Amino acid sequence: VIGRFLLWREGRVYQKLKGIKGIPAFYRKISGLALVVSRVPGKDLEHLSKGESLNLEFFQKLIRLIQNCHSNGVAHCDLKRSSNILIDEFGNPHIVDWAAGIIEKEFFLYPFTIIYKKFIDDDFKAVIKLKMRYCPQGITDEEKRNYPHRVLGERAIRAVRDAGRKWLQKLA
């Protein structure tokens, strides 16, 4: 039951992001047990060769892609996992695995609006983390200042989110 619910939510996220270049096309659900999405040729950042770096242009494109998703009312919430970002043969980013994605309309009441904004911020902090690993020369002073700063509330929200995700993965 929980697995079907999570797939239903992920399908809704893909539908909200329909037509955005860099997001796999969503075709359908299979009996509520699987999603059919387009294949993205390329490799995920987790499987880059040791010492392989990315250029600043890749990260600028990634930020534009994330902003496009946010303007469509969706936060990914799991971009720190480098396997969720793919790079195609032309150096373009693609974002996959929207299972943790959050739709803004689900968080329309206060204080949930604050939580949604934190998830948006977390998506951008994930880019900073990835830049530190794959393009350290591209880190700005502002990014250095913003990345490690997490207020108590944000740490608590992240802890609840991470614990909830682990619990749901065990149930699914």
Side-chain angles (χ1 to χ4, degrees), residues 118-135:
K118 290 294 183 188
F119 286 135
I120 294 275
D121 188 49
D122 196 43
D123 282 353
F124 290 118
K125 285 183 180 177
V127 174
I128 297 171
K129 177 184 177 185
L130 293 169
K131 272 176 85 173
M132 285 194 276
R133 185 180 308 154
Y134 299 109
C135 186

Side-chain angles (χ1 to χ4, degrees), residues 46-105:
E46 189 173 288
H47 289 96
L48 291 178
S49 301
K50 212 169 207 176
E52 192 173 350
S53 63
L54 296 168
N55 61 32
L56 193 54
E57 182 182 5
F58 172 83
F59 287 100
Q60 291 166 342
K61 290 177 182 179
L62 179 59
I63 288 170
R64 283 193 299 274
L65 176 56
I66 293 168
Q67 288 170 331
N68 200 357
C69 295
H70 292 169
S71 68
N72 280 276
V74 179
H76 189 278
C77 305
D78 198 19
L79 291 176
K80 285 187 179 157
R81 183 171 286 179
S82 54
S83 61
N84 289 337
I85 300 172
L86 307 178
I87 182 169
D88 68 19
E89 65 268 16
F90 304 107
N92 297 311
H94 298 264
I95 300 174
V96 297
D97 190 3
W98 288 86
I102 301 292
I103 296 174
E104 183 177 18
K105 287 184 179 179

